[in-house]
């Protein structure tokens, strides 16, 4: 294990220690969608106080149930004809992994994010990125063509 003072570890807002370089994969096909570096960090809002009256109720604790990420190539939102809001699908299996709204959306903690590319935590799995040092290279003998002497 690594020591708590190891610079490759950092504390999350929940107080747990995590390794840098986490990646997030589609829960259905395990295709890697984004990394921890793509997550837009935000300070939790005031919870229920930040919601309109008709949206209040339910859980009193302030928690974030989605990841807000920046726009990425796999989202396919670069075209001219695009709507102001829509669904985000996995590029490999086409499973719905999130949604986007150009005019913004509110996190479950009350924070308002504009534009919003949100992926629910229930739609992705955390996957630790394997360091390059752990990859083993195997040398494969090259196929050598036999030399055929020219005919006399």
């Amino acid at each position: 294990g690594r020591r708590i003072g190891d610079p490759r570890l950092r504390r999350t807002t929940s107080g747990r220690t995590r390794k840098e370089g986490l990646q997030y994969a589609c829960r259905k096909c395990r295709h890697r969608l984004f990394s921890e570096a793509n997550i837009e960090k935000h300070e939790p809002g005031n919870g229920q106080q930040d919601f309109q009256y008709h949206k209040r109720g339910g859980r009193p604790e302030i928690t974030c149930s989605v990841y807000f990420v920046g726009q990425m190539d796999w989202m396919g939102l670069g075209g001219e004809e695009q709507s102001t809001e829509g669904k985000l699908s996995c590029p490999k299996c086409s499973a719905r992994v999130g949604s986007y709204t150009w005019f913004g959306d509110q996190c479950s903690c009350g924070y308002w994010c504009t534009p919003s590319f949100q992926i629910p935590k229930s739609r992705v799995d955390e996957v630790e990125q394997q360091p390059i040092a752990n990859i083993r290279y195997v040398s494969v003998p090259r196929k050598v063509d036999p030399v055929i002497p020219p005919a006399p």
Side-chain angles (χ1 to χ4, degrees), residues 25-96:
C26 170
R27 183 154 283 176
K28 185 175 179 182
C29 72
R30 309 287 290 166
H31 180 74
R32 306 228 174 154
L33 300 171
F34 60 97
S35 68
E36 192 169 26
N38 300 113
I39 296 174
E40 294 182 8
K41 308 290 185 214
H42 64 272
E43 292 295 321
N46 296 321
Q48 295 294 318
Q49 296 173 358
D50 285 347
F51 287 95
Q52 295 174 4
Y53 181 75
H54 69 279
K55 290 185 177 180
R56 292 183 185 178
R59 303 183 316 260
E61 70 270 4
I62 299 174
T63 59
C64 299
S65 62
V66 297
Y67 295 114
F68 287 103
V69 297
Q71 183 179 359
M72 299 193 300
D73 292 338
W74 63 265
M75 295 177 180
L77 303 175
E80 291 180 22
E81 293 185 26
Q82 60 188 11
S83 63
T84 57
E85 60 185 329
K87 298 176 182 177
L88 298 174
S89 299
C90 173
K92 185 175 180 184
C93 70
S94 300
R96 181 170 179 236

Side-chain angles (χ1 to χ4, degrees), residues 77-133:
L77 303 175
E80 291 180 22
E81 293 185 26
Q82 60 188 11
S83 63
T84 57
E85 60 185 329
K87 298 176 182 177
L88 298 174
S89 299
C90 173
K92 185 175 180 184
C93 70
S94 300
R96 181 170 179 236
V97 293
S99 62
Y100 70 92
T101 56
W102 289 105
F103 49 85
D105 206 356
Q106 200 167 21
C107 181
S108 58
C109 73
Y111 175 81
W112 191 265
C113 184
T114 306
S116 168
F117 301 95
Q118 63 179 344
I119 299 175
K121 292 180 179 181
S122 62
R123 305 270 175 143
V124 292
D125 288 326
E126 289 183 354
V127 180
E128 284 191 36
Q129 186 175 4
Q130 296 297 323
I132 294 176

